[in-house]
Amino acid sequence: MNKIYLDNAATTPLAEEVIDAMVNTMKMNFGNPSSTHSFGQEAKILIENVRRQLADYLHVTPAEIIFTSCGTESNNMIIKSSVEHLGVERIISSPLEHKCVSESILDMKNRKGVEVVYIRPNEKGDIDLNKLEELLKSSDKKTLVSLMHANNEIGNIVDIKKIAELCKANNALYHSDTVKTMAHMKFDFSDIPVDFASCSAHKFHGPKGVGFAFIRKSTGLKGIITGGPQERSLRAGTENVAGIVGLGKALELCINNMEAYADHIREIKKYAIEQLSAKVPNIKFNGRSGEMENSVDSVLSALLPYKDPLIGLQLDMKGIAISQGSACSSGASKPSMVMMMVLTEDEMEHCTPLRISFSHMTTKADIDALAEALAEISKDFAIEKTNVEHR
Ligand code: PLP
């Protein structure tokens, strides 16, 4: 069976060049980068080259790039250290954040007594920046704003520059979870006064188990993993040299092909919206994902007009991989908080959300196969006129 992968928001396939670069590093550069002999120093040079490459990409200094094991670790470090080391007493966030952000914030609330304020998005998943400004002005407490750049379930994207400027004007720190957008678009942090950002290599055809945190030097953030002096003492632990090299190679490929990849993914999303709308009666798209603006093109969040909790399994049996929520919560019994924000109670009860996510490797034939499969499955459901209340 020809297998079709449409779950690129969960993880992306590794690029061949990334695998080659990593295998070569594992064979040739096994030294510990902290060792002073040539084996260690050769490994260290590889790491520093990738750090320089990332600094150039983001228009920051290499000292502001801290390698970590993943996006989850980067976000934990930024939120927890902001409270523990920078005296943050209040966090402004939203219910749309990835669990690694929302759970870190909750932990700081429970263990450190931090005040947490959530901005509830509207039914399209938009965050009201006037509300953010009002909140920023309403308290003298040292504040961290944690609002993700693009949402991993509905694709909504926020104006990172506008938020950063609002935070700066109101003396608040700003953390943007950029896991969904890093390497997919250009960033210039010399122009965007964001304080912290996060990245995970497996979201752009790099390996799992490696990411980085951007930490603006002026913040003075410290690490939470103690031990050796690796990563300028911000993140102890022997570096994942092959993983970092893989991250660098994946970034290089994304930067060199950025426009071509983006154009292709945009075309695929447009095609998917057309095909699914034509073949699946009464399908809807959630948040801003059905629009070609204000959302990332790689995510299409659909809503089937009937309840089918086994849809993921049914598609999987036809060789098609999609997600029914984000990968991190799809095994959970609780409905996703993001879906609760953008769907009506009726839709939650009677409909089925699907996350379809693309990469530059996705083809129109993949979309045709998905549309056919969904059309067939939908036929089996008597599409009763349930009078589901949509917004
Ligand atoms: N933030 C967002 C928006 C994500 O989509 C994910 C992963 O799905 C993460 C953070 C966590 O990244 P990692 O899988 O590298 O821990």
Side-chain angles (χ1 to χ4, degrees):
M1 180 168 46
N2 186 21
K3 288 180 72 165
I4 292 170
Y5 187 73
L6 293 170
D7 198 14
N8 290 279
T11 197
T12 50
L14 270 87
E16 284 293 332
E17 294 91 330
V18 170
I19 298 171
D20 292 345
M22 290 178 70
V23 169
N24 193 47
T25 304
M26 285 188 274
K27 281 186 184 161
M28 307 302 291
N29 303 100
F30 64 87
N32 184 327
S34 297
S35 300
T36 49
H37 50 62
S38 64
F39 290 83
Q41 290 312 293
E42 280 161 19
K44 176 121 190 110
I45 287 168
L46 292 178
I47 295 177
E48 294 314 313
N49 286 345
V50 179
R51 200 188 310 278
R52 159 62 58 194
Q53 181 194 355
L54 287 167
D56 290 347
Y57 167 58
L58 297 176
H59 301 264
V60 299
T61 63
E64 294 175 305
I65 303 293
I66 304 301
F67 289 112
T68 63
S69 66
C70 58
T72 296
E73 184 191 328
S74 303
N75 287 332
N76 266 260
M77 170 188 185
I78 291 163
I79 291 162
K80 293 178 182 175
S81 181
S82 292
V83 173
E84 293 186 16
H85 302 120
L86 301 184
V88 162
E89 301 166 284
R90 185 173 76 135
I91 299 179
I92 301 174
S93 188
S94 101
L96 299 178
E97 296 299 310
H98 188 272
K99 267 203 170 285
C100 67
V101 168
S102 59
E103 289 294 319
S104 296
I105 292 175
L106 208 56
D107 186 38
M108 291 298 94
K109 179 178 182 217
N110 294 338
R111 285 198 299 120
K112 302 286 175 182
V114 170
E115 179 189 339
V116 182
V117 191
Y118 296 101
I119 303 176
R120 194 187 165 97
N122 67 11
E123 71 285 355
K124 283 284 180 190
D126 302 323
I127 300 291
D128 180 354
L129 297 193
N130 291 325
K131 179 75 190 162
L132 173 64
E133 187 170 17
E134 196 184 294
L135 285 170
L136 283 168
K137 291 191 187 310
S138 70
S139 167
D140 289 334
K141 283 187 179 172
K142 181 143 190 175
T143 299
L144 170 74
V145 172
S146 185
L147 291 172
M148 72 203 308
H149 190 202
N151 184 272
N152 48 304
E153 289 184 58
I154 51 174
N156 283 36
I157 189 158
V158 299
D159 187 337
I160 186 173
K161 186 165 183 206
K162 205 162 172 186
I163 297 178
E165 284 168 353
L166 269 179
C167 291
K168 195 167 171 67
N170 290 282
N171 287 323
L173 292 164
Y174 175 33
H175 162 229
S176 175
D177 174 350
T178 43
V179 165
K180 194 74 205 78
T181 48
M182 271 282 173
H184 294 280
M185 53 180 71
K186 289 184 182 158
F187 283 98
D188 183 354
F189 286 173
S190 70
D191 186 44
I192 301 172
V194 61
D195 294 292
F196 312 114
S198 47
C199 172
S200 178
H202 74 98
K203 304 291 184 178
F204 54 95
H205 309 280
K208 291 165 192 58
V210 63
F212 71 85
F214 160 70
I215 295 173
R216 201 173 287 283
K217 207 161 178 222
S218 55
T219 62
L221 196 91
K222 296 195 171 75
I224 52 172
I225 297 181
T226 47
Q230 292 92 351
E231 296 300 296
R232 294 173 175 82
S233 294
L234 277 164
R235 201 275 187 180
T238 303
E239 298 89 339
N240 174 359
V241 184
I244 292 169
V245 167
L247 183 157
K249 181 50 83 175
L251 179 74
E252 180 191 315
L253 293 169
C254 286
I255 290 175
N256 291 345
N257 299 290
M258 197 166 272
E259 227 169 282
Y261 287 179
D263 288 350
H264 177 82
I265 294 170
R266 195 165 176 78
E267 186 63 31
I268 289 288
K269 181 175 182 178
K270 238 195 257 172
Y271 187 69
I273 292 172
E274 279 164 22
Q275 291 304 307
L276 294 174
S277 303
K279 302 219 166 102
V280 185
N282 300 318
I283 194 166
K284 260 189 78 221
F285 302 103
N286 306 315
R288 296 273 172 208
S289 80
E291 303 169 14
M292 299 309 291
E293 304 301 328
N294 305 315
S295 69
V296 285
D297 292 329
S298 55
V299 174
L300 184 59
S301 174
L303 192 70
L304 300 176
Y306 49 85
K307 192 80 183 167
D308 182 6
L310 297 179
I311 187 82
L313 193 63
Q314 285 166 292
L315 288 170
D316 198 29
M317 283 164 64
K318 292 175 183 285
I320 302 171
I322 51 92
S323 166
Q324 280 184 257
S326 75
C328 311
S329 56
S330 53
S333 52
K334 276 206 222 153
S336 131
M337 180 60 86
V338 177
M339 287 302 137
M340 283 165 74
M341 290 295 122
V342 297
L343 300 184
T344 62
E345 271 182 36
D346 240 18
E347 286 170 334
M348 290 292 288
E349 199 171 325
H350 299 294
C351 302
T352 310
L354 284 188
R355 182 183 68 182
I356 307 152
S357 49
F358 319 115
S359 83
H360 65 274
M361 298 175 184
T362 309
T363 64
K364 286 188 174 173
D366 295 340
I367 303 303
D368 290 338
L370 173 71
E372 297 270 309
L374 282 177
E376 204 176 304
I377 293 168
S378 301
K379 264 198 268 158
D380 294 342
F381 283 83
I383 312 215
E384 322 136 23
K385 296 250 176 315
T386 48
N387 291 325
V388 170
E389 194 189 311
H390 296 296
R391 281 197 179 96

